[in-house]
């Protein structure tokens, strides 16, 4: 296996734990914590295929940002 595969797995594990158990309950912190495993997923997919990595990263980053922005807006309006 390549070094980016192992680095991606490490980022996935660390990012998932940071997202599951955040220190701060701020929404900006949660958005940043979700981008860490997304980048780890990019590195894992990069070790297999570059096109797959790019498409996966774009999809994950777009969906997580969209969902968290909706949550922030809902929190502000309530």
């Amino acid at each position: 296996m390549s070094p980016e595969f192992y680095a991606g797995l490490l980022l996935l594990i660390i990012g998932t734990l940071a997202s599951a158990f955040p220190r701060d309950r701020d929404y900006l912190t949660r958005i940043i914590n979700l981008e860490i495993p997304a980048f780890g997923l990019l590195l894992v997919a990069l070790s297999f295929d570059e096109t797959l990595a790019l498409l996966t990263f774009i999809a994950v980053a777009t969906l997580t940002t969209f969902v968290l922005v909706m949550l922030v807006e809902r929190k502000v309006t309530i």
Side-chain angles (χ1 to χ4, degrees):
M1 289 283 142
S2 60
E4 59 263 356
F5 179 77
Y6 294 119
L9 285 180
L10 183 68
L11 280 176
L12 271 172
I13 292 169
I14 291 172
T16 303
L17 290 175
S19 296
F21 306 108
R23 290 188 198 167
D24 299 331
R25 299 288 181 188
D26 188 23
Y27 287 103
L28 181 62
T29 305
R30 290 184 182 184
I31 290 173
I32 293 170
N33 285 343
L34 281 176
E35 293 299 323
I36 294 171
F39 192 72
L41 184 62
L42 170 73
L43 288 177
V44 169
L46 185 63
S47 67
F48 295 110
D49 186 17
E50 288 85 10
T51 306
L52 176 67
L54 182 62
L55 292 175
T56 304
F57 182 72
I58 290 171
V60 169
T62 303
L63 289 175
T64 56
T65 304
F66 178 70
V67 168
L68 286 174
V69 167
M70 283 180 39
L71 287 174
V72 169
E73 287 178 357
R74 185 180 300 173
K75 179 75 174 175
V76 170
T77 58
I78 293 179

